[in-house]
Amino acid sequence: YPLPFNVIPQIDKFQDNGYTKEEMKVTWESRKICGLDDEFPISCTAVRIPTIRAHSEVIVVETEKDVDMDVARQVLEDAPGVKVLDNQEKLEYPMPLTATGSYDVEVGRLRESLVFGKKGIEFFVCGDQLLRGAALNAVLVAEEMNTNGALAEMFN
């Protein structure tokens, strides 16, 4: 299919479960990065959109406790490598055009989930996959594991 002026809801080959290989990789990698067990429910749909070099995701999280949106926003604002762009009045939100060329991942459109109510949050993220991709994230995770002692525990 032609890519210009189009959105293609398939990246990589379809698997037996109806998801594509790319969608399953996102699921597997998310669990691994977050230290979640294999049964932790994660689902996504990956689409090919004609941008130069940025990945974008809508993230929906169900929580066990009520989410305080002000606290959630502050946690994201304080997180290294995250830039919160979330101003409805000024129409400021993450976009591939603004995320390209930045090491920070843009986060915005923060809101209480309509599906999960106070026990859920939804937001939109964009990041330059060449500057903030799997390789850099692996290094950052390893550095954090070294700082918090988890890396040393692996070799003792």
Side-chain angles (χ1 to χ4, degrees):
Y1 296 103
L3 193 54
F5 310 108
N6 202 3
V7 174
I8 300 171
Q10 175 192 358
I11 300 176
D12 215 325
K13 296 180 180 179
F14 283 104
Q15 307 297 293
D16 291 339
N17 63 1
Y19 287 83
T20 65
K21 187 174 180 184
E22 179 69 17
E23 292 161 346
M24 293 310 302
K25 286 192 319 190
V26 169
T27 298
W28 299 326
E29 290 174 10
S30 296
R31 287 181 183 138
K32 184 176 181 180
I33 289 170
C34 295
L36 304 170
D37 65 61
D38 290 343
E39 302 306 314
F40 190 88
I42 296 177
S43 176
C44 75
T45 299
V47 297
R48 177 111 25 228
I49 297 174
T51 62
I52 294 174
R53 63 177 222 204
H55 286 167
S56 302
E57 296 178 17
V58 173
I59 299 174
V60 181
V61 178
E62 180 185 18
T63 60
E64 292 179 358
K65 298 178 181 177
D66 288 357
V67 175
D68 180 323
M69 293 303 296
D70 292 330
V71 171
R73 179 181 306 280
Q74 191 62 53
V75 166
L76 290 166
E77 287 175 352
D78 293 344
V82 172
K83 178 181 181 183
V84 175
L85 286 175
D86 192 44
N87 188 322
Q88 294 177 5
E89 290 77 31
K90 293 183 179 179
L91 303 179
E92 294 176 344
Y93 32 72
M95 295 183 292
L97 284 175
T98 55
T100 297
S102 173
Y103 282 95
D104 289 342
V105 174
E106 297 180 355
V107 178
R109 298 289 322 277
L110 281 88
R111 57 208 183 272
E112 181 180 295
S113 171
L114 288 176
V115 174
F116 301 118
K118 294 199 177 297
K119 293 198 178 342
I121 183 172
E122 299 186 24
F123 50 95
F124 183 69
V125 302
C126 288
D128 185 320
Q129 82 266 22
L130 296 181
L131 296 178
R132 190 60 182 236
L136 176 59
N137 285 341
V139 169
L140 294 173
V141 168
E143 287 175 344
E144 178 60 27
M145 290 175 71
N146 185 50
T147 300
N148 69 23
L151 197 57
E153 288 179 20
M154 292 175 59
F155 297 103
N156 288 332

